Amino acid sequence: MRGVRTGAVLAAVLCGATACAGGNVKAPESTGDAQAAGRQLEWLAAASRHLPISEADAKAHISSAALSSFGGAAGLSKSLARIAPLTPQLPAKSALRGAAGWFNGAHGVSVFGGSAIDGSGMISGLYFTRQPASWGELDAGLRKIAPDVSFVTAEIDRKGRCRVVHGVHADTPRPIASASRLYILGALSDAVARDELSWETPLAVNDAWRSLPGSGTLQSKRAGSMMTLAQYADAMMSAGDGTASDHLLHRLGREAVENELTALGNRHAQADRPFLSARQELALKGAADYPASARRYLALPAGKRAEALTGLDAVKLSAVKPWEQPRDVDRIGWFASPMDVCAAFKGLADRAAKPGQSNVGHALSIADGGIQLDPKKYPTVWYKGGGEPGVLTSNYMVRTAGGRTLVTSVLLSDPKRPFSPNTELGLLAFSRAGVQLAGESEQ
């Protein structure tokens, strides 16, 4: 299961999401140099300003297998010519195995680029995608990217209302995967405000609340290890950590989180009741007898499903297996519309502005999902994404230097097919376009 965040964007590049080179590229081994991939991406951008790239120069930076798949230096130069020259907007974000960043490309269009490197530090995979330059281009792209799409860019006005700037099925609910944890964060903030809990309240890691690997790292933490609620919140929001979210859900109580659906303005809250834990969703969709177990759950009257959760909690994690194809994405999970997401961000912003509630904004601003907005123009960036096979969502709230508050929410679902890494990376371009097209009057 994947979330659309910076780590997942890089992982997709590393696994071979290549626009220039077709096919998959095996994830490379770590080189031990955290800046090597960034330097290679910088070289590529510089080379794009002096095309064509010579065969000798290409061989000095690109693995032989990757260069062959590009069609040699000539093929790579031809591909780059469509978007070149590339000039970095901000320094690329670099990791041990890859780098990603935004560039000004041909005709002033923004381009997202990523590179993977192999064990010797050579480029082994490349990905580039153009950011939509208009609302019409964005709409056309959304129609192609998924069968079920809901989108909004909205402005939270001075009266606290979400005013649509541009929308596509903005009031239509879709599955939101781990973006549902916005409501857990809200419930925690409210419990702190009522002095029932503190951000520094300790909570021990509980074996019964662990999730599967792939959604954070806390599932590997030793049972009994103590963490503060603030630390759980940070992991839940920045890394999509299912173990962290389940610890908070159990500590707060399901009723408190379900009440938060209404408190944060989710007009489709009934679809989220009972509010599943991450582990309960795993038990339903990852069971050995799927789809039988899911069908039994869905056959229950809505009011009786909460009674079945105890049985799901008893399912051993060892009996649950990850899945690669969409499973009941429209019937099991968590749901909201883009306008519901806007309302949730507005409510969380209200909470974060109160004394003692800065942890709300901190948790939401640790990761930016790879959007890399200029901090001088967008000093505040909040992000929560989410995904599973057949579901992708990317949600941002930003404040502009001019004092405007904008929310962009993109919700994609496909009940028949999983999304490719290219779709994950393309989703980032739609999110960024939504923010910048709405904020361009200040640029």
Side-chain angles (χ1 to χ4, degrees), residues 3-71:
V4 186
R5 53 191 185 275
T6 301
V9 168
L10 289 175
V13 174
L14 297 173
C15 290
T18 57
C20 295
N24 291 329
V25 181
K26 182 180 289 185
E29 298 298 324
S30 168
T31 65
D33 183 351
Q35 302 304 315
R39 289 194 295 271
Q40 291 287 37
L41 194 57
E42 289 172 0
W43 165 79
L44 191 73
S48 77
R49 301 192 288 273
H50 304 283
L51 295 174
I53 301 172
S54 71
E55 197 73 24
D57 201 14
K59 288 181 178 179
H61 293 271
I62 303 173
S63 72
S64 58
L67 188 57
S68 176
S69 68
F70 298 151

Side-chain angles (χ1 to χ4, degrees), residues 89 102-103 108-112 128-134 137-138 371 373 426 428-437:
Q89 294 180 358
W102 288 91
F103 302 85
V109 174
S110 291
V111 175
F112 175 75
F128 289 98
T129 188
R130 293 173 67 254
Q131 179 178 314
S134 68
E137 189 176 333
L138 185 147
I371 200 168
L373 294 168
L428 182 58
F430 290 108
S431 297
R432 200 170 193 259
V435 171
Q436 293 190 326
L437 286 171

